[in-house]
Amino acid sequence: MLNLTGKKALITGIANNRSIAWGIAQQLHQAGAELGVTYLPDEKGRFEKKVGSLVEPLNPSLFEPCNVQDDAQVDAVFDAIASKWGKFDILIHCLAFANKDDLTGEFSATSREGFKTALDISSYSLTRLAKSAKPLMNEGGAIVTLTYLGGVKVIPNYNVMGVAKSALEMSVRYLAAELGPQGVRVNAISAGPIRTLASSAVGGILDMIRHVEETAPLRRTVTQEEVGNAATFLCSPLASGITGQVLYVDAGYEIMGM
Ligand code: NAD
């Protein structure tokens, strides 16, 4: 069992109990980390209520709204970290969004606005969060983001999100090079397909999961808990020599040619 007692971890991207970020939050909590959680605010306050009651048993010492497209909200999160925690150790970036229309059909039909939205929320947000996190992160700290095979290979309907994941994976390398000298590591986990709110927007997701279950070496897809375990490892001293990498947590699907 990894011991992250005394470490402070900010987790973005929990929407509900199917979220990959929820799997990561539970594993980091089990390892002893103190958690801060952000949620995407909406007009009716539904996410605040839902995510708030879900994470309550994990006793987060910070619970802040954060739409990553809003610089003022991002700044407010890190102001809260500075005043409550001073410094912190772990940043989990576990969020993405593209318009549903852009996650089905022909890639060439992607609109300019749809392209901008997907890249802004799903890729640029990592750089924006890292910019604010950088002066507040302790030596030995770690940033982990979530990507998918569709950022490397063509996956039906993944379309603009594949381009966003490609940019995200390259951002991991540039950030790893920049933050390495201060002792902060930056890595990505490329997870196999899991049924979540975000993945349900991708056309044919159930067929994709079935295909993985039939062809991946482990003949199944992965769970939120398995992704959470890998994230906890990447954030721990056991991974102290690993940065700028994409770790596949996908039941082995990525190695298969045919
Ligand atoms: P999810 O719907 O549970 O999580 C997506 C999160 O993004 C939600 O919490 C949502 O509130 C947040 N979000 C969307 N727009 C935002 C914004 N403007 N500001 C702040 N937060 C915003 O789905 P998930 O599958 O757990 O997705 C988490 C990450 O995992 C994503 O990066 C996704 O691409 C990646 N991923 C998912 C799968 C899969 O099959 N589910 C596979 C590989 C990678």
Side-chain angles (χ1 to χ4, degrees):
M1 177 67 170
L2 288 168
N3 187 355
L4 295 179
T5 306
K7 302 286 183 195
K8 295 181 170 65
L10 182 72
I11 299 173
T12 65
I14 301 178
N16 55 40
N17 64 0
R18 284 178 176 268
S19 295
I20 292 176
W22 173 236
I24 297 173
Q26 288 173 290
Q27 300 312 308
L28 287 174
H29 173 74
Q30 256 190 41
E34 179 178 345
L35 305 187
V37 169
T38 69
Y39 61 90
L40 177 63
D42 63 306
E43 273 172 20
K44 292 188 174 152
R46 280 176 306 194
F47 271 123
E48 178 177 7
K49 233 172 127 184
K50 196 169 177 176
V51 179
S53 54
L54 179 67
V55 301
E56 208 181 315
L58 308 188
N59 273 323
S61 48
L62 284 171
F63 184 64
E64 301 289 327
C66 184
N67 182 333
V68 293
Q69 290 191 291
D70 183 337
D71 283 323
Q73 287 185 28
V74 173
D75 288 341
V77 170
F78 289 94
D79 286 348
I81 289 181
S83 65
K84 182 109 192 188
W85 286 348
K87 292 225 162 188
F88 77 116
D89 306 282
I90 293 166
L91 170 62
I92 303 295
H93 174 273
C94 194
L95 56 93
F97 179 83
N99 294 326
K100 206 168 185 322
D101 288 353
D102 291 326
L103 295 172
T104 188
E106 293 178 333
F107 173 64
S108 64
T110 309
S111 67
R112 191 182 298 273
E113 269 318 300
F115 191 95
K116 276 193 202 165
T117 300
L119 271 283
D120 184 25
I121 298 178
S122 315
S123 307
Y124 177 68
S125 59
L126 174 68
T127 300
R128 181 61 186 84
L129 293 178
K131 179 186 175 190
S132 293
K134 186 178 170 182
L136 298 177
M137 289 192 79
N138 287 316
E139 193 176 344
I143 298 177
V144 171
T145 186
L146 265 293
T147 186
Y148 177 59
L149 183 61
V152 181
K153 303 263 172 75
V154 174
I155 304 281
N157 298 316
Y158 204 61
N159 296 357
V160 70
M161 191 58 88
V163 178
K165 291 303 190 192
S166 203
L168 181 74
E169 292 184 17
M170 202 59 218
S171 306
V172 164
R173 299 182 188 103
Y174 276 97
L175 290 170
E178 180 182 331
L179 299 183
Q182 78 176 64
V184 172
R185 298 175 297 102
V186 186
N187 290 291
I189 291 174
S190 186
I194 299 176
R195 279 190 76 178
T196 62
L197 200 60
S199 71
S200 66
V202 181
I205 178 73
L206 293 181
D207 292 337
M208 212 185 280
I209 291 175
R210 211 168 302 125
H211 174 69
V212 168
E213 288 168 349
E214 283 164 6
T215 54
L218 297 181
R219 294 292 187 273
R220 61 178 180 82
T221 189
V222 291
T223 64
Q224 283 86 342
E225 186 184 345
E226 288 174 312
V227 178
N229 282 333
T232 305
F233 160 69
L234 284 176
C235 294
S236 79
L238 290 185
S240 59
I242 303 174
T243 195
Q245 300 302 309
V246 177
L247 176 63
Y248 281 83
V249 181
D250 67 345
Y253 180 79
E254 186 264 343
I255 65 164
M256 300 303 288
M258 189 176 148

